[in-house]
Amino acid sequence: MASSTHLQSSAAYLRVTVLIVTISALCFSAQLASARHERFTRHYKHGIRQLRSGWADGPAYITQCPIQTGQSYVYNFTITGQRGTLFWHAHISWLRATVYGPIVILPKRHDSYPFPQPFKELPIIFGEWWKADTETVIKQALKSGGAPNTSDAYTINGLPGPLYNCSAKDTFKLKVKPGKTYLLRLINAALNDELFFSIANHTLTVVETDATYIKPFKTSIIQITPGQTTNVLLKTKHKSPNANFLMEARPYSTGPAPFDNTTTSGILEYERPSTSNKNLPLLKPKLPKFNDTNFVTKFTNQLRSLNSAKFPTNVPKNIDKQFFFTTGLGTKPCPTNHTCQGPNNTKLAASINNVSFEQPNVALLQAHFVNKIKGIYTTDFPIKPKVKFNYTGKSPNNIMVSKGTKVVALPYNARVELVLQGTNILATESHPLHLHGYNFYVVGQGFGNFDSVKDPVKFNLVDPVERNTVGVPAGGWVAIRFRADNPGVWFMHCHLEIHTSWGLKMAWLVNDGKKHNQKLPPPPADLPKC
């Protein structure tokens, strides 16, 4: 197990980048300290199952309270049965804009990949660059009730690239040898934007998503939402070509709201003799239009679990609990004697089943475990919309959301099916939904309103892709299944940070099982206090 840390700070912001490499099935312990004036939590796992270690999951006021200034907290957890690319990030407000890094879980020693052994591996992390303080950006947006200002650039491994003004020197360069295979571990750590990615004149082979192996397929373009990871094989050309190649990422956006419609780029350079021509042409890839949902659909439809003897697909065939959740935007009232920037002097909001989540002042997991802290949450989260309407058609007249700190309680080991239905309230947008503490199988998806009679017949129960973050299609739905075998309180939220800030989030409370190894252990002594 190896860890390297780079710290860079200025008066404007603090950036922490940590590369964590682990071996599958090892125990892990890391200490995080808060040195700034902000309170801070690290979601020290995006995608790590955290089996019976929910205290180490990290989202503020869900599994822990923020780490106070000058304090520290040790995250202890065991990585079991996972391998691949994940990442960690801050999990309070918009601090993850600059506080994130990769987690690479290697196969067990002497185990091999189910694809050709790469010559070299490296992470490619997409981020967003802000000239403004992101905490100020979101505070102003929540106060005004309108949409927030957008980022000023995207980055590849922290660098914006030559397509932005004055940033030609701030360009990530990937130097490769001819005739070799490279494993690129792609991570979308951007706050609010899904992305397309491509390398000019090169084909990529997709072999893994969200740290699970898939049936390999070739493509020249990758689509990746915030919160998702994708591993691809890059096979370089047999001889060094007389050109360099741009690798670019730019947004995929489906809604009417303003977004950062710029392109970040790095350069792929082949190893050449020192005497060779240095003034080589720079070739550009061709990326889809920003709203090319057809490409996104074709790309996601190619994702299939490996489903081999060594890596089987354990999708639940029978279901104990069924849920139907709408996801989308809405409004909430403007305070008296104020002017707000939402429709008709309201504030913009977001919800699941029309419940906009209210953040508690005590961590839900702590309140659940102690069972003496009353009034923090209720277990009456609706299992389906209280009012049925044409979800992808004309918006209903009343688009005000309700609010509450509501959870769904599940018995241990319940087999769950959840249909996530997009809506057309205010806008038709895609929503990358992330579930903490679990992987799930994406058994079906489509456009329009989900048909509970016709659509389940077409579910893929043979080799559905296994993920921890899935995009709910704009104007469509997605169906997932999972087994509730991890006791604790687990956050589910949109990974577009503005939607999370507006309330598109909820939590699952999974009760203990009967056996000792099916129960949540007590909290650690240094668990941060509110």
Side-chain angles (χ1 to χ4, degrees):
M1 180 167 59
S3 174
S4 62
T5 304
H6 172 69
L7 179 66
Q8 175 188 350
S9 64
S10 72
Y13 65 90
L14 175 71
R15 188 182 203 97
V16 184
T17 303
V18 180
L19 174 62
I20 302 167
V21 180
T22 70
I23 306 297
S24 182
L26 284 187
C27 293
F28 190 84
S29 177
Q31 185 175 50
L32 182 65
S34 179
R36 292 189 70 186
H37 62 279
E38 284 98 340
R39 294 172 297 172
F40 185 81
T41 70
R42 175 183 289 180
H43 175 197
Y44 206 42
K45 67 131 224 165
H46 183 106
I48 288 177
R49 283 292 314 275
Q50 296 289 8
L51 288 166
R52 299 178 63 240
S53 57
W55 305 108
D57 192 39
Y61 299 105
I62 304 297
T63 61
Q64 68 170 87
C65 295
I67 302 169
Q68 302 297 320
T69 303
Q71 301 299 308
S72 65
Y73 178 45
V74 177
Y75 290 85
N76 283 299
F77 56 91
T78 300
I79 299 172
T80 304
Q82 289 185 279
R83 84 293 301 161
T85 305
L86 299 168
F87 72 116
W88 59 266
H89 58 77
H91 214 309
I92 184 170
S93 190
W94 280 25
L95 290 183
R96 77 172 180 86
T98 54
V99 184
Y100 58 79
I103 298 177
V104 176
I105 308 171
L106 300 175
K108 293 180 180 180
R109 287 183 176 85
H110 311 300
D111 273 6
S112 60
Y113 294 121
F115 47 79
Q117 180 69 28
F119 170 72
K120 190 175 181 180
E121 307 176 15
L122 70 155
I124 303 288
I125 311 176
F126 307 113
E128 287 183 83
W129 185 270
W130 303 74
K131 294 178 182 177
D133 179 358
T134 53
E135 291 304 283
T136 301
V137 170
I138 183 55
K139 287 177 182 177
Q140 289 175 343
L142 294 178
K143 183 178 180 180
S144 71
N149 292 332
T150 63
S151 57
D152 298 289
Y154 299 103
T155 59
I156 297 177
N157 284 355
L159 301 171
L163 302 183
Y164 297 99
N165 292 332
C166 305
S167 64
K169 294 181 180 179
D170 299 317
T171 301
F172 173 72
K173 293 185 178 180
L174 175 57
K175 298 185 177 182
V176 298
K177 297 177 181 288
K180 300 293 184 181
T181 298
Y182 292 77
L183 179 64
L184 307 183
R185 300 177 179 271
L186 310 179
I187 301 168
N188 188 348
L191 272 186
N192 289 312
D193 292 280
E194 304 181 45
L195 296 170
F196 295 117
F197 172 73
S198 183
I199 302 176
N201 289 32
H202 286 75
T203 299
L204 304 171
T205 302
V206 184
V207 294
E208 178 193 301
T209 56
D210 290 356
T212 59
Y213 297 133
I214 66 167
K215 291 181 171 67
F217 67 92
K218 294 183 178 181
T219 181
S220 60
I221 302 167
I222 301 297
Q223 187 264 338
I224 184 169
T225 78
Q228 289 184 340
T229 65
T230 302
N231 282 8
V232 298
L233 296 176
L234 167 67
K235 191 170 184 179
T236 58
K237 301 181 184 299
H238 292 295
K239 295 183 179 180
S240 296
N242 292 318
N244 290 325
F245 305 90
L246 279 174
M247 44 186 183
E248 295 184 345
R250 76 178 185 204
Y252 163 61
S253 180
T254 56
F259 63 97
D260 180 358
N261 194 15
T262 62
T263 302
T264 182
S265 57
I267 299 176
L268 179 72
E269 294 182 349
Y270 277 75
E271 184 180 82
R272 297 180 182 88
S274 58
T275 56
S276 63
N277 179 18
K278 294 184 179 180
N279 296 317
L280 297 175
L282 187 59
L283 304 183
K284 287 175 62 69
K286 186 176 181 181
L287 288 168
K289 294 181 179 180
F290 74 88
N291 59 353
D292 194 344
T293 297
N294 286 335
F295 174 84
V296 173
T297 303
K298 291 176 182 177
F299 179 81
T300 55
N301 284 343
Q302 294 181 84
L303 302 173
R304 292 285 186 269
S305 289
L306 199 57
N307 194 25
S308 64
K310 188 173 182 180
F311 303 104
T313 300
N314 296 315
V315 58
K317 299 296 196 300
N318 299 307
I319 296 300
D320 303 309
K321 300 284 185 179
Q322 287 184 306
F323 300 90
F324 182 85
F325 289 178
T326 56
T327 61
L329 305 183
T331 58
K332 60 183 181 180
C334 187
T336 305
N337 298 325
H338 284 68
T339 300
C340 293
Q341 296 178 5
N344 300 316
N345 196 38
T346 61
K347 284 189 170 187
L348 291 171
S351 67
I352 300 177
N353 274 356
N354 203 47
V355 178
S356 188
F357 187 84
E358 283 199 314
Q359 183 170 280
N361 55 14
V362 173
L364 297 183
L365 185 60
Q366 183 181 3
H368 163 62
F369 186 85
V370 173
N371 204 28
K372 293 179 181 178
I373 308 176
K374 305 297 183 181
I376 304 300
Y377 64 87
T378 61
T379 56
D380 58 344
F381 191 93
I383 65 172
K384 61 182 179 181
K386 290 186 176 181
V387 178
K388 189 176 181 180
F389 60 98
N390 183 2
Y391 307 114
T392 55
K394 184 179 179 181
S395 294
N397 293 328
N398 183 5
I399 59 173
M400 287 285 183
V401 301
S402 63
K403 58 183 181 179
T405 308
K406 300 175 184 289
V407 305
V408 172
L410 291 172
Y412 181 84
N413 224 26
R415 295 163 296 185
V416 178
E417 179 181 283
L418 169 63
V419 175
L420 295 160
Q421 172 72 62
T423 67
N424 193 32
I425 298 176
L426 292 181
T428 301
E429 291 190 86
S430 58
H431 298 282
L433 265 291
H434 172 56
L435 175 60
H436 290 227
Y438 289 91
N439 280 0
F440 50 75
Y441 292 96
V442 183
V443 296
Q445 60 182 3
F447 290 97
N449 297 333
F450 175 74
D451 189 315
S452 60
V453 176
K454 296 180 181 179
D455 288 325
V457 178
K458 297 177 284 187
F459 283 176
N460 176 11
L461 302 180
V462 178
D463 60 352
V465 67
E466 185 180 355
R467 308 211 69 143
N468 61 61
T469 305
V470 65
V472 181
W477 57 271
V478 65
I480 66 174
R481 290 185 176 188
F482 64 95
R483 184 183 290 272
D485 58 357
N486 194 8
V489 178
W490 303 106
F491 201 24
M492 189 176 79
H493 60 95
C494 183
H495 227 281
L496 302 180
E497 207 63 41
I498 181 56
H499 292 171
T500 299
S501 299
W502 283 339
L504 209 163
K505 48 191 174 181
M506 55 83 66
W508 301 84
L509 190 161
V510 179
N511 287 297
D512 286 346
K514 295 180 180 179
K515 298 180 180 179
H516 175 74
N517 63 356
Q518 297 173 344
K519 299 180 186 297
L520 179 69
D526 62 342
L527 183 72
K529 294 178 174 58
C530 292

